Amino acid sequence: MKKEKKLENKVKRLIRKAKLPRHLNKFGPKIYELWQHLMALLVKQECKLSYRRTSRLLNDLGIKVPTYSALAKFACRMPLFIWQTLLAATASMKVNIAAIDSTGMSRALPSPYYYKRIDKPYPVDIPLKISLAIDTRSKRILALRARAKKSHDIKDAKYLAKRIKATKIVADTAYDSEKFYEFLWDNKVIPIVKPRKNAFRGFFRHKAMKSYRKRTYNRRSMVESVFFSVKRKYGASVSSLKFSAQRAEMYCRAIAHNTILCFIGDFQLDLFL
């Protein structure tokens, strides 16, 4: 009986750690609790299932979860701060060196036959931009930012730095910015960023170049390892059509990634990553 409720207890413990309410809407019907919605969304990403198959599978296993339509609506309506709180509950509290970088995720596209009928070129390039901050020691995802349109990496740098508490932040040349350096030094964070060639050496950039260490900068490869791990396990594309649901997918993948790292030993990290 304990083994059957092991997954339920893990999700409930995560919600208690994040200090979230039992029900998302205090005025709506109290048929299902927040942990039931969250568990179904995590299982959907972990097993690469649709909403319909996820609801059917868990109900057949004796775990009562909402219908597939309710899960789809919940993923779109869940506030961003709840996803951020849940991700922070699975992340490391004390971080020495954090690495930030961004990547692209492809979106689900109609068939080439449909594009031919409407006289549109195929394929249409509509990537989803994802920026991550990770702990280079444990490879846990500390913060996440999703954008529906293409943008420069530096636009999400301050957002990621605000949501983590790290002593040092390592990043590539895309984050070589005088304003970003000033923001980090004001918050007592040491930037380890590879400088661009022939860049204007302002006061904060010159200060950052003095603290640059090649050995510490090499820790940046950990974020590339996390990107490869997430894409290999959960896929390099998102299946949802709405941006809010696509963002929910990426947060579920990040939470599932951190949860796995919480329950495996340090000697198993290389095997799973």
Side-chain angles (χ1 to χ4, degrees):
M1 187 68 179
K2 293 183 180 180
K3 292 183 178 180
E4 293 179 359
K5 294 188 177 182
K6 190 174 182 181
L7 179 60
E8 296 182 16
N9 294 333
K10 288 181 180 179
V11 178
K12 289 180 180 178
R13 194 181 304 116
L14 174 61
I15 293 178
R16 287 197 301 268
K17 185 178 180 181
K19 298 179 180 180
L20 295 176
R22 293 179 59 185
H23 302 278
L24 185 61
N25 189 354
K26 61 180 180 180
F27 298 108
K30 306 299 187 294
I31 301 177
Y32 298 100
E33 298 182 9
L34 180 60
W35 71 267
Q36 293 171 301
H37 291 87
L38 180 61
M39 183 179 62
L41 294 178
L42 291 176
V43 171
K44 175 184 180 299
Q45 295 299 323
E46 185 69 23
C47 301
K48 298 181 181 179
L49 302 175
S50 62
Y51 290 108
R52 188 187 298 269
R53 294 179 63 188
T54 302
S55 177
R56 185 182 302 170
L57 174 64
L58 292 178
N59 282 298
D60 289 343
L61 293 176
I63 303 175
K64 187 179 179 182
V65 295
T67 61
Y68 68 93
S69 59
L71 290 176
K73 293 179 181 178
F74 180 83
C76 295
R77 296 174 180 175
M78 191 163 177
L80 176 60
F81 79 92
I82 293 185
W83 290 121
Q84 294 171 342
T85 305
L86 289 171
L87 181 60
T90 61
S92 306
M93 297 300 294
K94 296 182 180 179
V95 180
N96 183 22
I97 302 176
I100 60 176
D101 203 355
S102 61
T103 186
M105 303 289 292
S106 59
R107 305 189 191 186
L109 297 175
S111 64
Y113 174 73
Y114 175 77
Y115 275 93
K116 186 177 181 181
R117 288 185 58 188
I118 62 177
D119 296 328
K120 293 289 184 179
Y122 185 87
V124 179
D125 187 19
I126 46 173
L128 181 70
K129 185 178 177 62
I130 303 297
S131 298
L132 294 182
I134 63 109
D135 181 7
T136 59
R137 186 182 63 86
S138 62
K139 293 185 179 181
R140 295 186 187 179
I141 300 175
L142 306 174
L144 183 148
R145 184 71 181 270
R147 284 184 178 269
K149 297 181 180 180
K150 293 182 179 180
S151 62
H152 197 274
D153 296 351
I154 196 62
K155 287 189 175 182
D156 297 326
K158 290 185 179 180
Y159 173 87
L160 297 175
K162 287 179 181 179
R163 305 206 64 82
I164 61 178
K165 295 181 180 180
T167 306
K168 300 177 182 178
I169 290 182
V170 295
D172 56 12
T173 54
Y175 297 90
D176 182 23
S177 170
E178 181 75 10
K179 292 183 178 180
F180 183 51
Y181 291 148
E182 182 180 0
F183 172 80
L184 292 181
W185 285 116
D186 291 342
N187 289 273
K188 299 180 180 180
V189 180
I190 302 175
I192 308 296
V193 181
K194 188 175 181 180
R196 292 180 286 120
K197 295 182 180 179
N198 302 324
F200 173 74
R201 294 193 179 184
F203 174 78
F204 295 100
R205 180 179 278 109
H206 185 74
K207 190 177 178 180
M209 291 180 66
K210 285 186 176 180
S211 63
Y212 177 80
R213 298 292 182 271
K214 180 65 175 178
R215 183 175 181 180
T216 307
Y217 175 75
N218 290 337
R219 300 293 296 172
R220 194 195 69 83
S221 61
M222 296 295 102
V223 70
E224 301 289 351
S225 176
V226 172
F227 281 138
F228 176 76
S229 175
V230 171
K231 289 185 178 181
R232 182 181 62 178
K233 186 169 185 179
Y234 305 109
S237 62
V238 289
S239 59
S240 301
L241 299 179
K242 292 184 178 180
F243 173 71
S244 57
Q246 294 170 357
R247 183 178 59 193
E249 281 192 45
M250 294 309 305
Y251 269 99
C252 285
R253 295 179 187 185
I255 293 170
H257 172 81
N258 290 351
T259 304
I260 292 174
L261 296 181
C262 290
F263 294 102
I264 63 178
D266 293 336
F267 65 94
Q268 295 177 317
L269 287 176
D270 294 335
L271 178 63
F272 283 85
L273 295 176

